[in-house]
Amino acid sequence: MSEAKNRSNIESYKFHHIDINKCSKCKEFSCEDVCFRGIYEVINKDSTPKCIVVEDREDRCVKCHICTTTCKAKAITID
Ligand code: SF4
Ligand code: SF4
């Protein structure tokens, strides 16, 4: 059985949108390291990684776009 590899699965917050299908193949978790406002947490790093926006932190974002630039999979978009 084949599975569509590039299928998007976007989880949306107020203005962050994360393609968790891309996160599921991530090994670097750079979003978590580079965001100096602590917006992201990557959960399930040992199984199916998934980047989440930490509750109540989204409004700290200054839209510097370091995260969108650093995420090689281009999983993050910010409105
Ligand atoms: S947002 Fe990018 S860097 Fe962060 S876990 Fe997802 S794919 Fe990896
Ligand atoms: S744009 Fe900047 S402040 Fe906002 S989540 Fe990305 S790295 Fe963090």
Side-chain angles (χ1 to χ4, degrees):
M1 284 237 276
S2 66
E3 213 179 303
K5 279 192 178 135
N6 296 319
R7 203 177 23 152
S8 293
N9 190 3
I10 311 287
E11 286 202 348
S12 289
Y13 298 82
K14 268 196 261 180
F15 54 93
H16 288 77
H17 310 279
I18 303 170
D19 186 339
I20 57 165
N21 220 31
K22 291 179 174 169
C23 295
S24 70
K25 298 172 199 100
C26 185
K27 292 185 172 56
E28 287 148 346
F29 320 125
S30 44
C31 54
E32 206 179 48
D33 295 333
V34 298
C35 179
F36 54 94
R37 307 305 304 258
I39 308 284
Y40 302 112
E41 184 183 346
V42 182
I43 59 169
N44 301 334
K45 287 191 178 102
D46 294 327
S47 51
T48 308
K50 173 178 166 177
C51 172
I52 60 169
V53 170
V54 179
E55 199 175 0
D56 297 330
R57 287 197 190 167
E58 188 167 19
D59 288 335
R60 294 187 190 179
C61 176
V62 295
K63 300 196 177 182
C64 65
H65 280 277
I66 292 173
C67 57
T68 54
T69 306
T70 305
C71 172
K72 284 189 192 149
K74 302 287 170 225
I76 304 168
T77 50
I78 297 174
D79 291 341

